[in-house]
Amino acid sequence: MNTIQTQVAIIGAGPSGLLLGQLLNKQGISNIIVERATGDYVLGRIRAGILETGFANLCREAGAGERMDAEGEVHQGFLVSIEGKETRIDLSDLTGGKAVMCYGQVEITRDLMDLRQAGDLPTYYESSNVEVSNPEGAKPGLSFEHNGESYQVECDFIAGCDGFHGVSRKSIPAEIITEHERVYPFGWLGVLSETPPVDDELIYCKHERGFALCSMRSQTRSRYYLQVPLTDKVEDWSDDAFWDELKKRIPPKAAERLVTGPSIEKSIAPLRSFVCEPMQYRNLFLVGDAAHIVPPTGAKGLNLAASDVDALSKVLQRFYETGDRSVLEKYSPMALARVWHGERFSWWMTNMLHQFPDLGVDGLDPETFDRFMRSQAEYYLGTEHGRRMIAEQYVGLPYSSLD
Ligand code: FAS
Ligand code: PHB
């Protein structure tokens, strides 16, 4: 049995775990990361594309902002198309100059991985049988197997950065937590293609055939999504079928400009709203998707993970500076205050822009619910104060402070 001693044991080498590890390391707080997959597998998951200002700044603070600033694209607005009628949300004009960074989650994860490797920080990929022990005690622990060897980690704290299907949330006694969940009656079929984006900015489209989103990763790589029934399988969708359907849902001028090509990645993601409260159990802290999930309509998932990381790194830094354990209890309320805003905005955008095949919210029949949503879209897109509400949430509300 190999014994490792560290101050913080991090489970998961996704963006949450890697960013937290970097920030703790900069504060002189020792940490290890235990990840069940290979680094290549982690990088193979094509996910988010929009970084809030706060997240971009945190990446710079962690020392991982150089390539993002060189290759990422600053977006000062995005378009919303309702049955082909376009409205631009002018983010910068409506938020006093704020914007978002268009830079793929894969890229920022790669940058953080490279940084961790350059710093020779302990990271155990392809680990198995990861188990949390004694999270409520004075000496929590973690055990795992790696390269045929068994490891026991003695630490002060455990950060569960292991995503929705990880082990950390399951390590909290069920009677301690409350789970809030809304599973949506549809999914997103996503395609990545080496084709030029259809526009300079993102286009969120509401259409009677279903939602569509035109996004991008660079000027030569595009990301598109279609709302599809939960019964669809990715093999049901040829590339040609995908492009034909996308053209029907996006604005006509965009459809004329659309450059199609072979998909280099194609997958269907289910949509859910989920929050676990509280986000901690004494010395075990849940971070990112381990604690919450949002439908990607508001581009909040990865960004909420970042604000959790910000909150936890501030709390742990203050604890190690002062030895005052009471500051540890601030993490969950600090993180949740911002999580619920992101959850509400993502749910609100999803209701407004998707077709609900069965009962909508409050058990309304689809037709009535759709009329409510059209009225909501008309008001919020048709008024400056309505567009400002959308813009403020999209660029990201301020991070919670410790004091
Ligand atoms: P992650 O799930 O990214 O990482 C968790 C890590 O923990 C993984 O590497 C996993 O292998 C590891 N792990 C799990 N169990 C473990 C165990 N027992 N032991 C050790 N390691 C373990 N967000 C957006 O903002 N915009 C989007 O467009 C968007 N699209 C998405 C599409 C899909 C299909 C999915 C699933 C999510 C999407 N998201 C999007 C949200 C997504 O980006 C997450 O918010 C982000 O990955 C959260 O990062 P982490 O909290 O690090 O969790
Ligand atoms: C993406 O580019 O993957 C993306 C962008 C914005 C969203 C969701 C996904 O709201």
Side-chain angles (χ1 to χ4, degrees):
M1 170 69 78
N2 301 279
T3 301
I4 301 171
Q5 288 184 331
T6 188
Q7 290 172 299
V8 182
I10 298 172
I11 309 175
S16 294
L18 289 166
L19 182 56
L20 178 63
Q22 276 317 113
L23 291 173
L24 294 179
N25 181 57
K26 279 197 73 172
Q27 295 158 6
I29 300 171
S30 65
N31 63 88
I32 71 161
I33 294 183
V34 178
E35 163 61 51
R36 73 177 168 192
T38 63
D40 287 343
Y41 179 83
V42 175
L43 290 172
R45 297 190 306 233
I46 309 299
R47 289 184 170 172
I50 295 294
L51 312 185
E52 291 174 354
T53 311
F55 186 11
N57 290 336
L58 214 48
C59 292
R60 295 182 187 108
E61 184 186 327
E66 191 178 337
R67 195 164 71 98
M68 173 186 71
D69 287 327
E71 298 176 16
E73 293 185 358
V74 175
H75 282 208
Q76 296 181 320
F78 65 88
L79 296 168
V80 181
S81 162
I82 307 290
E83 300 295 344
K85 179 178 181 291
E86 289 181 28
T87 302
R88 183 166 185 266
I89 305 293
D90 188 333
L91 296 173
S92 295
D93 179 52
L94 293 163
T95 63
K98 290 183 182 174
V100 292
M101 174 71 76
C102 185
Y103 188 64
Q105 172 172 328
V106 171
E107 305 314 323
I108 199 63
T109 303
R110 190 192 316 277
D111 296 339
L112 288 164
M113 270 183 186
D114 292 348
L115 200 56
R116 189 165 182 90
Q117 190 172 13
D120 199 21
L121 298 177
T123 313
Y124 297 82
Y125 285 99
E126 297 182 88
S127 296
S128 56
N129 301 324
V130 178
E131 286 187 22
V132 171
S133 60
N134 195 30
E136 74 284 6
K139 270 291 170 199
L142 197 62
S143 59
F144 65 96
E145 283 157 29
H146 174 75
N147 281 351
E149 300 261 328
S150 297
Y151 290 80
Q152 181 62 46
V153 181
E154 295 171 359
C155 53
D156 297 332
F157 304 106
I158 299 167
C161 301
D162 47 350
F164 186 65
H165 301 290
V167 66
S168 57
R169 190 173 69 250
K170 298 172 191 146
S171 303
I172 300 179
E175 61 272 16
I176 298 281
I177 57 178
T178 301
E179 294 187 348
H180 309 266
E181 186 167 46
R182 156 64 161 156
V183 177
Y184 295 87
F186 41 75
W188 277 19
L189 166 63
V191 156
L192 193 65
S193 57
E194 291 295 356
T195 56
V198 76
D199 198 293
D200 296 337
E201 298 179 330
L202 274 59
I203 313 176
Y204 290 80
C205 310
K206 178 184 177 76
H207 191 277
E208 61 184 8
R209 298 177 66 91
F211 170 82
L213 172 60
C214 302
S215 184
M216 62 197 79
R217 292 293 178 268
S218 69
Q219 285 309 307
T220 59
R221 179 171 283 198
S222 298
R223 181 73 167 160
Y224 294 102
Y225 295 97
L226 289 178
Q227 171 188 349
V228 293
L230 279 178
T231 47
D232 275 17
K233 302 273 181 291
V234 68
E235 50 270 20
D236 299 339
W237 284 87
S238 67
D239 286 359
D240 287 346
F242 180 87
W243 297 122
D244 288 348
E245 185 61 31
L246 183 69
K247 284 179 188 170
K248 291 172 182 163
R249 298 187 188 183
I250 64 178
K253 281 185 291 186
E256 285 166 23
R257 291 195 304 265
L258 182 68
V259 176
T260 64
S263 59
I264 56 176
E265 193 273 349
K266 184 159 53 178
S267 55
I268 294 179
L271 269 61
R272 82 176 71 233
S273 299
F274 174 84
V275 179
C276 168
E277 289 189 308
M279 288 175 51
Q280 69 186 93
Y281 177 53
R282 196 157 166 77
N283 299 309
L284 170 62
F285 300 93
L286 303 183
V287 181
D289 278 19
H292 44 73
I293 298 286
V294 285
T297 326
K300 288 297 154 214
L302 178 58
N303 290 299
L304 290 175
S307 49
D308 293 351
V309 167
D310 176 70
L312 185 54
S313 68
K314 284 172 179 169
V315 160
L316 292 176
Q317 182 176 12
R318 180 69 59 85
F319 166 73
Y320 281 112
E321 283 169 352
T322 64
D324 174 8
R325 281 198 66 91
S326 68
V327 73
L328 299 169
E329 299 313 310
K330 292 188 172 191
Y331 169 67
S332 184
M334 245 175 103
L336 283 168
R338 196 169 187 278
V339 163
W340 277 112
H341 282 304
E343 289 281 346
R344 198 274 316 163
F345 178 65
S346 304
W347 164 81
W348 186 85
M349 287 279 279
T350 301
N351 284 346
M352 183 163 73
L353 298 176
H354 288 74
Q355 293 302 319
F356 280 75
D358 49 26
L359 290 189
V361 179
D362 305 329
L364 289 169
D365 66 84
E367 181 56 34
T368 307
F369 177 67
D370 189 57
R371 297 305 297 268
F372 277 175
M373 290 302 101
R374 286 173 186 281
S375 162
Q376 176 178 297
E378 188 181 320
Y379 180 81
Y380 279 91
L381 298 176
T383 62
E384 183 176 316
H385 45 280
R387 291 192 297 275
R388 177 168 288 108
M389 189 287 284
I390 294 172
E392 285 178 349
Q393 292 271 7
Y394 197 84
V395 298
L397 296 179
Y399 280 15
S400 307
S401 65
L402 199 48
D403 301 314

